[in-house]
């Protein structure tokens, strides 16, 4: 039943911000991907340690840098074009 599948998808889109939708822009999609990556690195301590060793920084500094990058991972949004 297509209507049931459609309503389930809409429910997922409303519940989870990063799942996207039919009208998502390339910039929004990239922002979600970057934020998901940074939050995954911060959430997995061993991965955070690996990144800290690779960058020759402390774990706390790397965590701080990733948190700062999550604010605006892809820069300013592109200007919207009125159609």
């Amino acid at each position: 039943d297509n209507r049931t599948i459609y309503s389930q998808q809409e429910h997922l889109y409303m519940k989870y911000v990063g799942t996207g939708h039919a009208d998502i822009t390339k910039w929004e999609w990239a922002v979600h991907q970057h934020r998901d990556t940074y939050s995954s690195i911060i959430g997995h301590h061993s991965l955070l340690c690996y990144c800290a060793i690779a960058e020759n920084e402390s774990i706390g500094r790397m965590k701080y840098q990733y948190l700062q990058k999550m604010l605006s991972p892809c820069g300013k949004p592109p200007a919207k074009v009125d159609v």
Side-chain angles (χ1 to χ4, degrees):
D1 188 40
N2 287 341
R3 198 169 359 146
T4 306
I5 293 171
Y6 180 73
S7 66
Q8 289 173 351
Q9 283 179 330
E10 287 297 316
H11 176 70
L12 283 174
Y13 295 153
M14 287 185 292
K15 188 173 180 183
Y16 302 107
V17 177
T19 53
H21 50 80
D23 299 326
I24 195 166
T25 64
K26 195 187 288 189
W27 181 82
E28 289 173 326
W29 182 83
V31 166
H32 290 306
Q33 292 297 314
H34 281 81
R35 285 185 179 153
D36 287 347
T37 301
Y38 293 140
S39 64
S40 178
I41 291 171
I42 291 169
H44 293 92
H45 186 72
S46 59
L47 190 54
L48 186 61
C49 289
Y50 176 80
C51 292
I53 291 170
E55 295 285 330
N56 197 23
E57 290 283 351
S58 69
I59 295 170
R61 171 65 61 187
M62 291 303 295
K63 193 174 195 177
Y64 176 77
Q65 287 177 355
Y66 287 138
L67 286 171
Q68 291 299 312
K69 287 181 181 180
M70 285 176 71
L71 294 175
S72 182
C74 297
K76 294 183 179 178
K80 295 188 177 186
V81 179
D82 293 332
V83 178

